[in-house]
Amino acid sequence: MKFVDLNAQFRGIEDDIRESIERVLQHGQFVMGPEVFELERELADYCGVAHAVTAASGTDALLLALLARGVGPGDAVIVPPFTFVASAEVVRLAGATPVFADVDADTFNLDPARLAEAAQRVRAAGQLNLRGVMAVDLFGLPADYDAIGAVAAQHGMFVLADAAQSFGGAVDGAHGKVRTGALGDISATSFFPAKPLGCYGDGGALFTDDADIAAAAKSIREHGMGAHRYEHARIGITGRLDTIQAAVLRCKLKILDRELIARRRLAARYTRALDGIVDTPRTPPGYASAWAQYTVKTRRDRRDAIRARLQTAGIPTAVYYPIPLHRQPAYAQTNAPPLPVAEALSQQVFSLPIHPYLDAAQQTQVIEAIKTAVCD
Ligand SMILES: *Cc1c(COP(=O)(O)O)cnc(C)c1O
């Protein structure tokens, strides 16, 4: 059994993928070819935003967003500590300081109350210029953007959504369903192969309704290009999405909704079967996760033994994330207040196979193996 089965996906769309890549091979515009712009239009339409700007990776998309907002030395951006390293890494790369605020034990996402405390603390200390908050949609579940947005508004912060894991997720708002990409002031996603919408290498995109931010991001991803290619209006990076990856993504976007249905069905069945055996993930009312991961919790002193039993039974699992960011050598901060929820989660969680091509028999095998491993 595979944790993520990209081969199974490829078998279903092989002809479309081969034709799409072949077109790129024929026209030869490997950098910023027509597929890149077609994809950007399709992504913006899918998310319901005015602008999608593709990038070389999800990390670059986040960095483009921060640089486009003018984040730099002396600035603070509040980030949850229970996430992939890239969320804090880009803040450092921009020259700013990541300030950690703890997450909610049930949703795994930034806790708005802890965000408010962290914002107060930064302002009271008076050393850093509080610029923004990065809300991460961990495991595919959108963060609480209503509450986070309210805190952000009080403190004049922008909201950058790290939607690397949640492309295809949504929240029911006052005006209907809002997809990730349209949540927050700027949103960034990743097309790393194992993400809900993945390419065959690295890729990412940012989304915004703000035309100035989109224009700045487009400039920064091409070395800060100004009025023409050899005028450089600002400092930039080589941050473009390859045309071949755009061609792949256009094929995969067509099947995304079907795949999301499969992920949701698998998640619902896991929850029905495993509730009470392990702590199953909660989805608040009105929220739709993209189910990048199905992550359960156990007692901390049992987690590793349960995983070892599952491995023996041929069931692959993973721990996202075993070390919270404030415990990482590169991100440790002196005088930082404790972050108990992130600490506990890093010892309690593990994720089960949930890719769209996992069949019912395989899922039954996972469920039975967990029951055995937990009850032993
Ligand atoms: C994957 C991921 C990223 C970075 O995406 P890359 O495309 O790998 O650079 C950022 N944040 C989170 C939460 C992620 O899961």
Side-chain angles (χ1 to χ4, degrees):
M1 191 181 307
K2 288 179 176 165
F3 192 69
V4 176
D5 192 344
L6 294 171
N7 284 95
Q9 183 197 50
F10 177 60
R11 284 194 294 276
I13 53 173
E14 182 167 354
D15 292 346
D16 199 21
I17 293 266
R18 284 189 192 283
E19 278 166 35
S20 196
I21 292 178
E22 179 65 22
R23 274 196 296 277
V24 181
L25 297 177
Q26 293 300 334
H27 68 56
Q29 294 178 61
F30 299 114
V31 174
M32 298 309 259
E35 284 80 359
V36 171
F37 302 100
E38 284 155 6
L39 175 68
E40 287 179 340
R41 194 63 260 148
E42 290 162 0
L43 290 171
D45 290 347
Y46 185 86
C47 296
V49 295
H51 308 279
V53 181
T54 54
S57 68
T59 305
D60 275 359
L62 287 168
L63 181 61
L64 291 176
L66 292 177
L67 296 177
R69 284 302 303 227
V71 170
D75 291 344
V77 177
I78 299 176
V79 181
F82 191 60
T83 174
F84 183 59
V85 66
S87 311
E89 185 177 43
V90 291
V91 177
R92 281 285 185 83
L93 284 173
T97 303
V99 172
F100 296 116
D102 214 349
V103 294
D104 179 275
D106 288 331
T107 64
F108 308 117
N109 284 334
L110 187 60
D111 182 334
R114 303 288 89 78
L115 168 64
E117 287 167 10
Q120 293 287 5
R121 218 169 46 240
V122 173
R123 303 228 354 224
Q127 281 168 338
L128 296 167
N129 188 12
L130 183 60
R131 293 293 311 282
V133 49
M134 188 178 315
V136 181
D137 304 338
L138 206 68
F139 307 139
L141 178 70
D144 185 350
Y145 287 95
D146 283 344
I148 290 168
V151 176
Q154 265 172 26
H155 293 280
M157 294 188 281
F158 62 79
V159 179
L160 170 56
D162 179 345
Q165 302 184 5
S166 63
F167 194 83
V171 182
D172 285 331
H175 306 287
K177 183 168 90 166
V178 183
R179 282 202 167 121
T180 60
L183 297 164
D185 300 319
I186 313 179
S187 174
T189 198
S190 165
F191 303 130
F192 183 80
K195 308 278 167 142
L197 177 63
C199 58
Y200 290 150
D202 283 304
L206 75 77
F207 307 92
T208 184
D209 282 326
D210 185 326
D212 294 335
I213 293 289
K218 285 180 180 173
S219 161
I220 295 164
R221 77 174 167 188
E222 294 210 74
H223 301 286
M225 192 168 89
H228 58 85
R229 180 160 304 279
Y230 294 105
E231 185 197 72
H232 305 288
R234 45 169 79 76
I235 308 294
I237 59 175
T238 310
R240 299 164 297 225
L241 179 72
D242 292 344
T243 310
I244 285 184
Q245 300 302 346
V248 168
L249 286 163
R250 294 189 70 207
C251 302
K252 293 218 202 177
L253 186 57
K254 290 186 226 162
I255 60 163
L256 179 69
D257 282 343
R258 212 162 70 215
E259 293 190 334
L260 287 167
I261 291 169
R263 286 178 190 270
R264 276 184 199 130
R265 186 178 304 133
L266 290 162
R269 184 169 170 224
Y270 270 144
T271 298
R272 277 197 308 277
L274 296 175
D275 215 15
I277 294 166
V278 288
D279 206 345
T280 55
R282 317 243 169 96
T283 306
Y287 282 65
S289 176
W291 294 109
Q293 304 295 342
Y294 187 90
T295 302
V296 301
K297 289 186 276 185
T298 62
R299 274 171 41 191
R300 343 178 158 197
D301 57 348
R302 294 276 287 135
R303 197 257 319 262
D304 294 340
I306 292 170
R307 285 192 67 220
R309 291 222 177 86
L310 291 171
Q311 190 179 9
T312 308
I315 311 294
T317 63
V319 172
Y320 304 115
Y321 294 89
I323 307 176
L325 296 187
H326 65 288
R327 293 277 176 204
Q328 296 288 354
Y331 296 90
Q333 290 169 350
T334 47
N335 306 326
L339 298 158
V341 180
E343 304 255 340
L345 289 176
S346 66
Q347 295 169 30
Q348 292 171 325
V349 295
F350 66 101
S351 303
L352 310 180
I354 192 169
H355 65 81
Y357 304 91
L358 191 77
D359 63 32
Q362 289 174 309
Q363 192 181 22
T364 302
Q365 214 185 316
V366 178
I367 291 165
E368 293 310 317
I370 290 175
K371 287 182 179 166
T372 309
V374 169
C375 298
D376 265 5

